[in-house]
Amino acid sequence: MSLTAQPPVERSPDPDPAPTEQRRRPWWRRPTRIAAVAVALVLIYFGVTFAQVWSASSSATPHRAQAIVVLGAAQYDGRPSPALEARLQHALDLYRHHMASRIVVTGGRQVGDRFTEATAGYNWLRKRGVPDAAILKEVHGRNTYESLAAVERFLRPIGVSEVILVSEPSHSLRLRGVGHEVGLDAQVSPAPSSEPTGVHRLRSMWRETVAVGVGRVVGYRRMTNLEP
């Protein structure tokens, strides 16, 4: 029985790898995952900032300083609003405990007002026995940054930089940041009864969280449009 030689069989080349395997991209090049990671980082950042705003709102005993600075609030024809009066009372308590030898009152006037917020604060303090020589006024600031920048400018020539800032509890973290940005050696002592409670306080905390979170990135000077 004869055997016939079989022609050699040519093997076809391996097929090309699947397009999905050939074009697989690293995870960081996938838009959906990048967006998800970015959102997660933003939420974590503002969550941590909220916790810091909440923590800073707690009352703390300040160290002795050179001046107490009261941030302005509404006044009604020369009479301080409840929020402003609470701040003034807290500043007066600090002054009477010899935490500083000067009180600086701040705040300009709204359209149609006869008095500035600073003047309303000045008159309130004078009626309670604070001598004229112990009170300084900043009357042009329209927001926290402008007021503290102006305070720093007129305190610097008299050698004053160590200050205690007084405002609402939820403002504490932003106040400290603005104070440092304008060149003040600032600590904060929030007025305990100057802020609403419940839902209103929570809303104020979230507003401050946004202001602090963005202000840390772009600078507080650019955050004046977020002033409460």
Side-chain angles (χ1 to χ4, degrees):
M1 181 176 181
S2 62
L3 297 176
T4 304
Q6 298 293 325
V9 177
E10 293 184 1
R11 299 182 61 185
S12 61
D14 293 334
D16 292 338
T20 55
E21 295 179 0
Q22 189 178 27
R23 299 180 181 179
R24 182 168 295 175
R25 295 177 295 176
W27 68 269
W28 60 84
R29 293 186 181 178
R30 300 180 184 182
T32 302
R33 292 192 179 183
I34 292 174
V37 171
V39 170
L41 291 175
V42 169
L43 291 176
I44 292 171
Y45 174 68
F46 280 103
V48 171
T49 303
F50 178 83
Q52 292 173 331
V53 169
W54 189 279
S55 176
S57 70
S58 302
S59 296
T61 303
H63 303 296
R64 197 175 189 283
Q66 296 171 294
I68 301 161
V69 180
V70 183
L71 275 297
Q75 57 81 32
Y76 308 116
D77 199 30
R79 180 173 56 86
S81 64
L84 180 55
E85 187 167 11
R87 300 178 192 187
L88 292 166
Q89 182 62 58
H90 186 59
L92 181 61
D93 292 341
L94 293 173
Y95 175 80
R96 287 175 173 170
H97 282 86
H98 308 290
M99 298 305 297
S101 58
R102 299 179 180 90
I103 300 177
V104 182
V105 286
T106 70
R109 77 179 79 205
Q110 302 296 322
V111 177
D113 285 351
R114 293 195 304 146
F115 298 88
T116 64
E117 296 169 2
T119 299
Y122 168 87
N123 292 337
W124 189 96
L125 292 169
R126 289 288 289 125
K127 290 178 181 177
R128 284 152 183 81
V130 181
D132 178 74
I135 307 174
L136 299 173
K137 292 195 299 181
E138 183 287 307
V139 298
H140 299 295
R142 296 171 298 175
N143 53 65
T144 299
Y145 191 95
E146 288 184 3
S147 292
L148 291 185
V151 167
E152 193 278 334
R153 285 194 298 270
F154 71 68
L155 289 183
R156 189 193 324 135
I158 61 175
V160 174
S161 62
E162 298 175 359
V163 298
I164 301 170
L165 306 178
V166 175
S167 186
E168 293 182 4
S170 64
H171 297 174
S172 297
L173 188 61
R174 178 164 58 95
L175 267 184
R176 189 182 304 133
V178 173
H180 292 162
E181 187 171 302
V182 301
L184 293 169
D185 182 1
Q187 51 184 318
V188 179
S189 183
S193 59
S194 65
E195 188 170 57
T197 57
V199 175
H200 296 290
R201 183 167 187 260
L202 188 62
R203 190 176 301 160
S204 180
M205 290 286 182
W206 276 116
R207 185 172 59 241
E208 288 296 315
T209 296
V210 173
V212 171
V214 179
R216 284 171 165 175
V217 176
V218 303
Y220 288 102
R221 186 176 183 179
R222 299 179 183 177
M223 295 304 301
T224 55
N225 61 325
L226 293 181
E227 285 292 302

